[in-house]
Amino acid sequence: MSSLLQRALPLADTSVQRQRLEALPLPLRFEKALQRSNLHPLLPNAIEIFQMNVGKVCNQTCHHCHVDAGPDREEVMSPHVVAACLRALERSRIGKLDITGGAPELHPQFREIVARAAASGCHVMDRCNLTILLAPKFEDLPEFLAAHRVEVLASLPSYNLRQTDAQRGHGVFERSLEALRRLNTVGYGRDEELQLNLVTNPVGAFLPASQAALEAHWKRQLRRRFDIEFNSLYTITNMPISRFLEYLVQSGNLDVYMERLVNAYNPAAAAAVMCRNTLSVGWDGTLFDCDFNQMLDLPVESEAPQTIFDFDLEALNRRRIVVGQHCFGCTAGAGSSCGGATAT
Amino acid sequence: MSDYYQSEDLPRFAEVGEEAPELWEKFSAWYSAVFREGALSEREKALIALAVSHVVQCPYCIEAYTEASLEKGSNPEEMTEAVHVAAAIRGGAALVHGVQMRNHVHRLSM
């Protein structure tokens, strides 16, 4: 398994992905669904989360990755863009920094970003694939993250080996458990100030389960089977983008899955979509409404500041959010966001 | 008659109500209530339904409750164990009739 880009597939071109999604014969357009819910045009509330996607380099090549990340990718946020992000974060006083990738820990300035943001009083979140914590030169990360009170959002699709390895690669399950044990050892999931939240995506073309019901079940299972503790479980719907889109096409599930998302449209989830309180910054400094729009190369609307170098919080809070058919992924059922379900 | 058990027939289930709508509505209301969270979770109920689907050997039910079990958060390992429970009861139910057979053997034999 390698990235779509490495395999030189047509879907590596985001315009091909967008065309494929927009051409699907679905019963409803996302804009129309928003209109029916009195949410069109979709506007931000206020930006509360500053999400930095520091690049596409990753030590894993997961089958469902909407970033098309992997070891063969070379996109990395430059020091110039990092500096502009930290400056914007400090001046705007947005209280939460969400660092994602790729494997964000592989970014050469990861520790500097964390330390500076934490020192300025920002709540820092690390979207961690777990196995990176076992890689050479990264084994002290649990202690580093704990020292800066970083919230760890760790990907684990299932407490079942076959399911986890099917989505994330051979051997990932066992290494993920070892990483979770190391996080528990330094206090994550046990000390109230060290939040360890697990993120689960369905291993296939179906919707995630109820987050609340599943969390209690997972806590029992992980404790009983593996002696692992965590704080919260976040369920996230797989987005029809990049490698999950490839999977849907190859498995013949694309039409049925997209129809499932459309039919499960929930106005309460639409009102609570994460793009209303999040700003997403790409590795090259381009601004997006969310990480999914980022991976489809759909930047914030043209009237709004386009890059981190033009950052203007007030102007960004006045923007209209860019939407497409992929947005049904965030509004299906109980909703989906980087922080899990958005509606009950 | 080569059209038994087509997947695309499952979403047409409600058509059964066309000739007897009141009965269909009562069935639908009761069916929905059965699968709501109660003393058992929705996940557990979907697993029971999956197991029973195998005993009654209903392909529609098997597809519906495979999907429901996955969407309620069960994994294939748990779903397979549920099917084994169903199979064990079915197999055991056959085997326990061996006692009936033995009783009759004793009645007829010297």
Side-chain angles (χ1 to χ4, degrees), chain A residues 158-160 163 206-210 213-214 217 221 225 260, chain B residues 37 41-44 67 70-78:
Chain A
S158 171
Y159 51 81
N160 173 275
Q163 277 196 310
F206 52 91
L207 294 182
S210 153
L214 212 57
H217 181 67
Q221 293 289 331
R225 295 180 179 209
R260 184 93 180 85
Chain B
E37 177 139 340
S41 68
E42 291 183 353
R43 193 185 79 87
E44 290 162 335
E67 196 167 324
L70 289 169
E71 292 201 340
K72 298 296 176 195
S74 292
N75 62 48
E77 182 187 5
E78 293 161 337

Side-chain angles (χ1 to χ4, degrees), chain A residues 16-335:
Chain A
V16 172
Q17 292 189 38
R18 291 197 304 269
Q19 283 161 17
R20 187 88 202 228
L21 291 169
E22 296 303 316
L24 284 172
L26 295 174
L28 189 61
R29 304 267 329 152
F30 191 72
E31 293 89 342
K32 189 78 185 169
L34 288 177
Q35 276 169 13
R36 288 181 187 172
S37 313
N38 295 320
L39 288 167
H40 189 72
L42 190 61
L43 303 172
N45 293 321
I47 297 171
E48 296 166 349
I49 302 170
F50 189 94
Q51 188 173 59
M52 286 170 72
N53 190 314
V54 294
K56 301 190 180 188
V57 185
C58 191
N59 58 319
Q60 290 183 190
T61 319
C62 302
H63 286 277
H64 71 306
C65 183
H66 71 277
V67 179
D68 195 26
D72 57 81
R73 299 303 298 255
E74 294 173 346
E75 298 87 339
V76 176
M77 189 176 272
S78 70
H80 193 42
V81 175
V82 168
C85 285
L86 291 172
R87 213 163 37 239
L89 190 64
E90 285 161 8
R91 285 182 189 166
S92 63
R93 300 189 178 279
I94 297 172
K96 292 180 180 173
L97 172 64
D98 184 333
I99 314 174
T100 188
E105 302 86 351
L106 285 170
H107 190 280
Q109 290 177 278
F110 174 76
R111 294 181 196 229
E112 181 190 337
I113 296 167
V114 169
R116 273 191 57 187
S120 69
C122 203
H123 176 76
V124 181
M125 295 174 271
D126 173 29
R127 294 198 176 269
C128 178
N129 70 14
L130 289 174
T131 61
I132 192 66
L133 303 182
L134 274 56
K137 297 182 188 170
F138 294 89
E139 287 143 322
D140 64 331
L141 264 175
E143 288 84 357
F144 170 81
L145 295 169
H148 292 87
R149 299 288 183 261
V150 175
E151 176 185 341
V152 175
L153 293 142
S155 300
L156 188 72
S158 171
Y159 51 81
N160 173 275
L161 181 150
R162 289 167 68 100
Q163 277 196 310
T164 297
D165 283 9
Q167 183 188 82
R168 303 180 71 77
H170 180 69
V172 167
F173 182 70
E174 291 295 349
R175 284 185 285 142
S176 298
L177 292 184
E178 175 56 25
L180 286 169
R181 286 191 193 98
R182 292 189 189 183
L183 287 166
N184 278 172
T185 300
V186 300
Y188 272 102
R190 291 181 168 145
D191 179 335
E192 222 168 83
E193 286 190 6
L194 297 176
Q195 290 284 308
L196 172 58
N197 300 318
L198 300 186
V199 176
T200 172
N201 291 66
V203 186
F206 52 91
L207 294 182
S210 153
Q211 186 169 285
L214 212 57
E215 182 181 287
H217 181 67
W218 272 55
K219 283 193 171 178
R220 281 194 301 276
Q221 293 289 331
L222 283 179
R223 190 177 298 133
R224 182 173 68 84
R225 295 180 179 209
F226 311 112
D227 194 27
I228 285 169
E229 307 279 344
F230 67 96
N231 295 99
S232 297
L233 180 72
Y234 296 151
T235 56
I236 296 190
T237 304
N238 285 315
M239 296 299 283
I241 299 171
S242 295
R243 291 208 290 271
F244 191 68
L245 178 58
E246 179 196 28
Y247 157 77
L248 289 173
V249 171
Q250 283 185 346
S251 63
N253 279 309
L254 178 59
D255 289 34
V256 173
Y257 184 73
M258 289 304 294
E259 259 189 61
R260 184 93 180 85
L261 296 183
V262 174
N263 292 335
Y265 174 80
N266 177 355
V273 281
M274 64 178 172
C275 48
R276 304 189 79 184
N277 72 352
T278 302
L279 182 70
S280 160
V281 189
W283 65 275
D284 63 354
T286 306
L287 301 180
F288 300 88
D289 295 304
C290 71
D291 203 52
F292 302 125
N293 278 6
Q294 183 177 147
M295 298 316 149
L296 286 171
D297 284 326
L298 292 169
V300 289
E301 68 164 2
S302 55
E303 286 77 14
Q306 293 294 294
T307 76
I308 194 64
F309 302 105
D310 319 313
F311 181 82
D312 177 341
L313 187 60
E314 283 184 20
L316 285 162
N317 274 330
R318 287 195 301 270
R319 77 194 192 278
R320 291 179 175 204
I321 292 166
V322 176
V323 297
Q325 293 300 76
H326 62 288
C327 299
F328 279 111
C330 285
T331 58

